[in-house]
């Protein structure tokens, strides 16, 4: 067995903590149901940070809500399989999903103010998690563990913050409290949906640093959703790129940045580099993400793609392997490249 075969075998056998097969999410419109996401296959390995990237409207948030069992009626979720630590959630009752949520999987959002209850102190909201999910845990123990959890998120004077209401805390502090709530039952999976987008750059870096520390300490896997490739470069082990409700590329982070295969990924990278280059303006990919009501024929990206030809307008590309654990959905660059 050669070196590459070995690496390949090992990566292919990486233990899947979350395994999603053929996920479809639909919403009701005046003209019937439309699919916000379809044919989605992805997995998060143990102790891995998987980043999901793509412009606004590509289906990142709805995917994470579907995994959490939080898509509400009349939204519809279908999947062949959605396995978390060996439990197929497509076969679980709403009650079982509720129990998994908080204990096994938890989520933090962009805006902690909308997820924190303004009427209760931060400490009360963290304590609730212990009281709900830890059998036999009383108020005193819940308080002690909550303060410890607040301390772990790097907040000075955790006792004072325990008694604070959300509006008395800064945005960065509130996000730390959300992280404390999400992590206090030691979930195997944490989903973070644009967790730092609303914060200024310094605070953003601190929060990302905190999340990275927690992954290591608790061995939690993270599904990290962002439109910011700078954050991806800093945080992720692997990346899936979403476009118009589909995965268009999947690769480990180095491959994605050094050998992107899909023109959409190349466009995203290009606009990121432009932003970082001080003084130059953001150069977005021309055009916009298509409406779900009027998806283009053939490749969904073809109207914005500089390389598109007739075939791209006609034929739908499949996600194909183009390198070692590297997949791309493009008719023009489908070859398996040298994987050495
Ligand atoms: N509750 C809903 N009802 C109808 N359409 C929705 C709903 N939630 C999301 N969508 C649509 O699903 C698509 C994906 O949305 P979303 O997952 O929020 O994108 P992203 O997080 O990538 O910005 C969008 O076109 C959005 O308008
Ligand atoms: Mg979103």
């Amino acid at each position: 067995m050669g070196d590459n075969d070995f690496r390949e075998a090992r990566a292919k056998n990486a233990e899947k903590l979350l395994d999603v097969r053929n996920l479809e999410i639909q919403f009701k419109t005046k003209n019937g149901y439309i699919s916000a996401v379809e044919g989605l296959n992805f997995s998060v390995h143990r102790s891995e940070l998987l980043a999901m990237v793509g412009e606004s409207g590509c289906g990142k948030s709805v995917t994470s809500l579907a995994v959490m069992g939080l898509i509400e009626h009349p939204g519809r979720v279908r999947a062949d399989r959605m396995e978390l630590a060996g439990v197929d959630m497509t076969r679980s009752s709403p009650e079982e999903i509720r129990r998994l949520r908080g204990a096994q999987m938890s989520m933090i959002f962009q805006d902690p103010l909308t997820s924190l209850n303004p009427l209760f102190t931060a400490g009360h909201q963290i304590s609730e998690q212990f009281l709900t999910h830890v059998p036999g845990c009383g108020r005193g123990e819940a308080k002690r563990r909550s303060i410890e959890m607040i301390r772990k998120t790097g907040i000075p004077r955790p006792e004072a913050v325990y008694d604070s209401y959300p509006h008395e805390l800064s945005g960065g502090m509130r996000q730390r409290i959300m992280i404390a709530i999400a992590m206090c039952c030691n979930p195997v999976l944490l989903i973070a949906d644009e967790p730092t987008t609303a914060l200024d750059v310094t605070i953003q870096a601190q929060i990302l640093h905190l999340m990275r520390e927690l992954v290591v300490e608790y061995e939690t896997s993270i599904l990290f959703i962002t439109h910011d490739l700078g954050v991806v470069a800093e945080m992720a082990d692997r990346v899936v790129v979403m476009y118009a409700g589909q995965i268009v590329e999947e690769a480990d982070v180095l491959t994605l940045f050094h050998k992107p295969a899909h023109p959409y990924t190349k466009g995203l990278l290009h606009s990121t580099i432009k932003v970082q280059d001080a003084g130059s303006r953001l150069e977005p990919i021309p055009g916009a993400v298509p409406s779900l009501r009027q998806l283009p024929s053939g490749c969904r990206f073809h109207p914005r793609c500089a390389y598109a030809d007739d075939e791209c307008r006609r034929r739908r590309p499949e996600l194909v392997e183009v390198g070692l654990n590297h997949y791309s959905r493009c008719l023009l660059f489908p070859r398996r490249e040298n994987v050495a």
Side-chain angles (χ1 to χ4, degrees):
M1 207 186 209
D3 235 20
N4 274 331
D5 296 339
F6 187 72
R7 270 174 61 204
E8 184 155 7
R10 199 179 61 179
K12 286 238 159 90
N13 292 327
E15 203 183 339
K16 291 172 180 174
L17 175 75
L18 174 71
D19 191 30
V20 174
R21 293 297 120 189
N22 203 17
L23 173 64
E24 178 164 20
I25 304 164
Q26 296 184 319
F27 292 108
K28 200 169 183 174
T29 71
K30 277 184 299 205
N31 308 316
Y33 280 91
I34 49 164
S35 299
V37 154
E38 64 186 342
L40 210 67
N41 298 309
F42 70 96
S43 46
V44 183
H45 303 162
R46 289 211 181 254
S47 301
E48 165 181 78
L49 195 146
L50 178 74
M52 185 172 270
V53 301
E55 290 161 292
S56 186
C58 284
K60 306 181 299 294
S61 292
V62 295
T63 299
S64 63
L65 291 173
V67 170
M68 293 290 289
L70 292 173
I71 297 282
E72 282 168 19
H73 182 82
R76 293 203 293 218
V77 177
R78 267 181 262 162
D80 292 347
R81 191 164 76 231
M82 263 206 282
E83 229 173 68
L84 180 71
V87 175
D88 187 351
M89 296 186 286
T90 62
R91 296 176 205 292
S92 303
S93 68
E95 180 49 38
E96 285 166 327
I97 302 277
R98 229 185 334 267
R99 238 177 295 134
L100 287 176
R101 208 159 50 222
Q104 298 290 327
M105 56 181 180
S106 55
M107 188 161 176
I108 56 176
F109 301 92
Q110 178 173 336
D111 182 5
L113 257 195
T114 58
S115 8
L116 286 169
N117 187 330
L119 302 178
F120 293 104
T121 61
H124 178 95
Q125 297 181 58
I126 304 173
S127 288
E128 276 304 303
Q129 294 300 311
F130 288 114
L131 294 169
T132 310
H133 295 290
V134 180
C137 180
R139 294 241 161 238
E141 190 195 340
K143 176 167 183 178
R144 193 180 48 71
R145 290 175 71 169
S146 298
I147 290 174
E148 186 48 35
M149 205 62 224
I150 299 174
R151 191 191 318 278
K152 282 216 163 119
T153 66
I155 294 178
R157 300 198 309 123
E159 291 85 358
V161 168
Y162 183 91
D163 288 320
S164 302
Y165 287 87
H167 73 269
E168 298 175 309
L169 302 170
S170 68
M173 292 274 244
R174 286 196 288 261
Q175 196 57 290
R176 285 175 198 268
I177 296 296
M178 283 310 299
I179 292 173
I181 292 173
M183 292 300 292
C184 59
C185 293
N186 197 1
V188 289
L189 177 69
L190 174 67
I191 300 181
D193 188 354
E194 310 258 7
T196 62
T197 305
L199 303 172
D200 71 48
V201 175
T202 332
I203 309 293
Q204 198 173 28
Q206 291 171 7
I207 297 286
L208 294 175
H209 182 72
L210 169 64
M211 290 186 63
R212 219 161 31 184
E213 276 178 0
L214 291 172
V215 191
V216 174
E217 180 174 350
Y218 289 85
E219 297 185 344
T220 303
S221 304
I222 298 191
L223 173 58
F224 194 98
I225 294 173
T226 180
H227 63 270
D228 183 343
L229 280 171
V231 170
V232 172
E234 209 168 301
M235 298 280 290
D237 299 305
R238 261 182 339 119
V239 189
V240 296
V241 181
M242 299 271 297
Y243 187 75
Q246 295 180 317
I247 290 175
V248 294
E249 184 156 6
E250 174 182 333
D252 67 77
V253 69
L254 285 177
T255 305
L256 194 95
F257 278 83
H258 294 295
K259 279 200 210 168
H262 198 284
Y264 180 59
T265 312
K266 289 177 190 170
L268 285 180
L269 285 168
H270 190 67
S271 56
T272 307
I273 291 159
K274 286 275 162 139
V275 186
Q276 285 168 349
D277 178 7
S280 71
R281 285 183 44 239
L282 169 67
E283 189 176 296
I285 306 164
V289 177
S291 154
L292 298 172
R293 278 166 213 85
Q294 280 182 314
L295 286 172
S297 61
C299 170
R300 291 182 180 185
F301 185 60
H302 90 249
R304 302 174 73 186
C305 182
Y307 310 94
D309 63 15
D310 268 350
E311 200 186 1
C312 303
R313 288 180 258 279
R314 273 200 320 269
R315 236 178 82 197
R316 290 186 179 189
E318 300 287 326
L319 195 66
V320 296
E321 192 167 21
V322 294
L324 176 61
N325 296 309
H326 184 186
Y327 301 85
S328 173
R329 189 186 293 279
C330 178
L331 297 170
L332 297 173
F333 306 103
R335 65 195 175 278
R336 189 177 162 116
E337 288 170 24
N338 178 15
V339 295

